[in-house]
């Protein structure tokens, strides 16, 4: 499916990010169009998380540009960007372990002041019945997979225009991995634009409209998700073939 006619919501152009003397991202260019699910794959240490941190205003940009909704994100903090719908689910989930499920979901709406927050919590419970069952339980008492569901539910409470997910399947049991990829696909079908960072390359590319491969801070390949999945170089490097 071609989406060239769709508006570019997120544009990363020639992005460079450094930690002191270490160049973690060395000129990455990535585009996410309205309605797309784009997967960014690559080995541990390739610079994927650093890219997401730069995009969300958490890590300073050394060079290059990041545009969200056509405007530079420079000078805008994570809160401002989240308020405009650019929302990240961080690596390791980032749930508030000493708050209940419901309180975590309410925290997800911290950039909002409308009257539909309770209705949106019910919608999240519709997507994740498990969270509804445990609504009054402390988040810290749940399994990794349940906490990932909570992290996704909390992000949805911000009404994201572009949702950035960092390794949602990491450390989960095979059944939970299936569940998480299923939900990512469902959320995408409901119209949320997504940039999905994953080490599980086969699953991430299988559900993606397009994908990018990152190696040592550089984007080395890009294309249609299916084409990348069938590419012998990708298969050799990331699918163990
Ligand atoms: N806070 C940090 N300080 C110094 N180096 C870091 C920091 N975070 C990441 N790095 C380095 O930057 C590179 C990219 O890391 P990262 O973006 O986390 O990769 P990925 O998410 O693809 O695994 C790695 O070499 C990593 O060691
Ligand atoms: Mg990472």
């Amino acid at each position: 499916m071609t989406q060239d006619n769709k508006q570019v919501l997120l544009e990363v152009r020639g992005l460079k990010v450094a930690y002191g003397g270490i160049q973690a991202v060395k000129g990455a260019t990535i585009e996410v169009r309205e309605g797309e699910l784009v997967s960014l794959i690559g080995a541990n240490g390739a610079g994927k998380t650093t890219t997401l941190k730069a995009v969300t205003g958490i890590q300073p940009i050394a060079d290059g540009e990041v545009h969200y909704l056509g405007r530079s994100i420079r000078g805008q903090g994570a809160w401002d960007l989240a308020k405009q719908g650019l929302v990240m689910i961080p690596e390791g989930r980032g749930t508030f372990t000493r708050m209940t499920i419901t309180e975590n979901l309410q925290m997800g709406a911290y950039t909002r002041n409308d009257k539909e927050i309770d209705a949106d919590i019910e919608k999240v419970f519709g997507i994740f019945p498990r969270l509804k069952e445990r609504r009054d339980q402390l988040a810290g008492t749940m399994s990794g997979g349940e906490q990932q569901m909570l992290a996704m539910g909390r992000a949805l409470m911000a009404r994201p225009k572009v949702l950035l997910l960092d390794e949602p399947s990491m450390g989960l049991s095979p059944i939970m991995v299936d569940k998480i990829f299923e939900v990512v696909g469902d959320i995408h079908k409901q119209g949320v634009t997504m940039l999905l960072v994953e080490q599980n390359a086969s699953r991430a590319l299988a559900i993606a409209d397009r994908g990018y491969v990152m190696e040592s801070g550089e984007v080395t390949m890009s294309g249609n998700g299916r084409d990348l999945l069938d590419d012998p170089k990708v298969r050799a490097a990331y699918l163990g073939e």
Side-chain angles (χ1 to χ4, degrees), residues 4 12 26 42 65 70 72 89 111 113 127 144 146 175 197-198 234:
D4 289 352
V12 176
K26 304 169 187 165
E65 276 296 339
S72 171
I89 302 175
T111 56
N113 56 9
I127 301 170
E146 289 165 345
I175 290 173
V197 162
E198 263 294 336
V234 172

Side-chain angles (χ1 to χ4, degrees), residues 19 22 24 43-50:
Y19 297 103
I22 304 164
N44 194 22
K48 305 180 300 296
T49 295
T50 303

Side-chain angles (χ1 to χ4, degrees), residues 3-55:
Q3 301 196 309
D4 289 352
N5 53 340
K6 292 282 170 92
Q7 191 197 350
V8 177
L9 298 187
L10 181 67
E11 184 181 13
V12 176
R13 201 149 296 287
L15 176 70
K16 294 185 184 173
V17 185
Y19 297 103
I22 304 164
Q23 284 269 353
V25 179
K26 304 169 187 165
T29 293
I30 294 167
E31 231 177 55
V32 183
R33 289 175 185 266
E34 191 176 1
E36 277 191 317
L37 196 175
V38 174
S39 289
L40 174 61
I41 64 161
N44 194 22
K48 305 180 300 296
T49 295
T50 303
T51 300
L52 293 189
K53 284 183 175 168
V55 162

